[in-house]
Amino acid sequence: MKVLVVGGGGREHAIIKKLAENKEITKIYAAPGNGGIAQDAVCVAIGAKEIEKIRDFAVEEKIDFCVVAPDDPLVLGAVDLLEAAGIPCFGPDKKAAIIEGSKVFSKDLMKKYNIPTAGHQVFTTAEEARAYVEAATEFPLVLKADGLALGKGVIIPETKEDALQAVKTLMEDKAFGESGSRVVAEEFLTGPEVSVLAFTDGKTVVPMVSSMDHKRALDGDKGLNTGGMGTVAPNPYYTKEIADECMKTIFLPTIEAMNAEGRTFKGCLYFGLMLTPKGPKVIEYNCRFGDPETQVVLPLLKTDLFTIMKAVHDGTLDQINVEWHDGAACCVVLASGGYPEKYPTGIEITFGDTADAIVYHAGTKLADGKIVTSGGRVLGVTAIGSDLTEAREKAYAAAKNIKFDGVHFRTDIGVRALNALK
Ligand code: AMP
Ligand code: GLY
């Protein structure tokens, strides 16, 4: 079996390492992959958004199965192209990927099918949005670009001035391009956040172990929003009772709503949840595995990933018993100095003893046989332990043995989760 994984970050590295455990798979390709992925797969120099080239490569190489991991190619319709060329895929088609591709779509879906979420309004002109801000009496506000914006399209202004600036940034300066041509304003919710990734074939939904992201750049949840500075799994706030409630009020209704809209979702559906005083509500849907959530979730997966992915494709997920390891996982992201703002690249990385951890590469490349930095989030260092305390200790011990100039990581990944367990 030859498998192609589209993407080139930490999430894709975690997927590839897990797929490699399957003996049926003889060769794994990654497009484009990265410096670390090159140790586990054959990297091909095709960007994740170059979906026609990906299709052509897959046909030429007679790829047996393709995993499309990032949001961009999914929303562009990579799965539609590949499936039309006869290549089975894991991932939603274009019609279903809109659940992440358009916030207006997902908010309207939740409203129509009574799925709990923050109340919202849609604005198509800056004038309308400004009138909303001027009339607002309670802050902060929540303003979101409609389309994909590299995870940066959410602005939570604390003051009227900042909110007016946000409208300008999104709708007039078009900081995120056309994705800001429509803006969603939402009710501000509070409560612990939980990420739940779920396998679904459009009939059965199998939630994975829950996780907690750490989005801000600095300790104590200070600093700018990032793609994610670390994760832990399971998320202690997500109890069995809450999980049961989410299955009933959110997961199954979402799958059914997508079917009713003629947009059956097959793949990994990511539920970004907030556990509000009024119950769990959806903050966002993603049409893919989370990054860096995947780097703690997949290491805890006991069942063979490829078997599950094929069942999702074939519509036979109900026949699979998906099992998880006990214990906990912790992933510490090592970022370039300056991230999420300007940062240098091309800096050599040296690896000391990391034997107790799994080092996932996110932003690295090979240059003259050396591994150098090539992105903001550079590595995700994951460890598993019998509990979160042990997982944290092992992850940090390994993280401290990896060096590059300017390296920056949070020292409190998992602290909030540990406090919740007390
Ligand atoms: P996103 O990029 O959609 O994951 O959003 C980034 C972060 O903004 C989320 O993780 C939440 O912390 C926060 N957020 C998004 N929507 C809301 C909301 N309606 N109320 C409060 N916080 C929110
Ligand atoms: N870690 C958040 C995301 O993958 O969107």
Side-chain angles (χ1 to χ4, degrees), residues 72-383:
D72 280 313
L74 289 167
V75 171
L76 288 170
V79 167
D80 307 60
L81 281 189
L82 286 156
E83 294 265 358
I87 294 157
C89 292
F90 179 86
D93 64 12
K94 186 175 180 169
K95 267 175 109 177
I98 194 175
I99 198 164
E100 174 170 3
S102 168
K103 290 250 194 284
V104 173
F105 172 84
S106 65
K107 295 299 293 186
D108 287 348
L109 183 87
M110 287 185 270
K111 195 169 179 181
K112 182 168 169 190
Y113 293 93
N114 285 318
I115 297 165
T117 187
H120 80 285
Q121 275 174 269
V122 181
F123 304 113
T124 49
T125 67
E127 287 69 43
E128 284 167 14
R130 264 195 290 270
Y132 165 84
V133 171
E134 290 292 355
T137 51
E138 276 180 59
F139 287 82
L141 301 181
V142 180
L143 299 172
K144 302 186 175 184
D146 176 41
L148 297 181
L150 296 168
K152 293 177 187 153
V154 177
I155 304 182
I156 306 194
E158 302 274 352
T159 65
K160 190 166 282 188
E161 256 185 354
D162 288 352
L164 290 171
Q165 181 56 45
V167 170
K168 183 168 180 294
T169 305
L170 292 171
M171 302 190 85
E172 289 175 338
D173 303 345
K174 296 244 152 106
F176 305 106
E178 282 315 306
S179 75
S181 52
R182 291 194 292 179
V183 161
V184 176
E186 279 185 18
E187 171 197 0
F188 178 75
L189 300 178
T190 56
E193 287 183 53
V194 183
S195 304
V196 179
L197 321 182
F199 294 111
T200 178
D201 60 1
K203 293 177 285 194
T204 305
V205 49
V206 180
M208 301 180 215
V209 59
S210 62
S211 54
M212 183 193 287
D213 196 1
H214 296 68
K215 288 203 163 111
R216 301 292 199 98
L218 307 174
D219 281 10
D221 292 323
K222 304 234 160 55
L224 294 170
N225 245 321
T226 71
M229 293 298 292
T231 38
V232 297
N235 184 323
Y237 289 103
Y238 192 70
T239 60
K240 169 87 175 62
E241 290 69 42
I242 294 175
D244 290 345
E245 185 180 352
C246 288
M247 181 56 93
K248 224 168 46 207
T249 63
I250 295 175
F251 305 157
L252 289 171
T254 300
I255 300 305
E256 283 158 15
M258 291 297 277
N259 286 338
E261 294 293 309
R263 296 176 184 274
T264 294
F265 189 102
K266 294 170 80 166
C268 172
L269 184 52
Y270 169 128
F271 298 89
L273 306 174
M274 198 173 264
L275 308 181
T276 78
K278 291 188 187 156
K281 296 194 179 188
V282 177
I283 288 282
E284 61 164 348
Y285 292 117
N286 291 321
C287 65
R288 52 173 174 80
F289 284 96
D291 192 345
E293 284 89 339
T294 305
Q295 290 90 308
V296 284
V297 169
L298 288 188
L300 292 174
L301 178 62
K302 200 192 271 182
T303 309
D304 177 59
L305 177 61
F306 189 48
T307 305
I308 301 171
M309 287 183 158
K310 278 190 303 186
V312 165
H313 173 267
D314 296 343
T316 54
L317 187 58
D318 62 334
Q319 289 164 35
I320 307 272
N321 182 24
V322 178
E323 293 185 294
W324 300 91
H325 293 291
D326 293 331
C330 175
C331 173
V332 178
V333 169
L334 306 191
S336 296
Y339 173 77
E341 295 186 287
K342 265 205 160 91
Y343 54 83
T345 56
I347 297 175
E348 188 180 348
I349 307 169
T350 57
F351 296 86
D353 179 9
T354 60
D356 275 347
I358 316 170
V359 181
Y360 296 120
H361 289 236
T364 69
K365 66 174 189 190
L366 276 169
D368 301 327
K370 291 178 184 150
I371 299 268
V372 303
T373 66
S374 67
R377 289 186 295 172
V378 177
L379 300 164
V381 183
T382 296

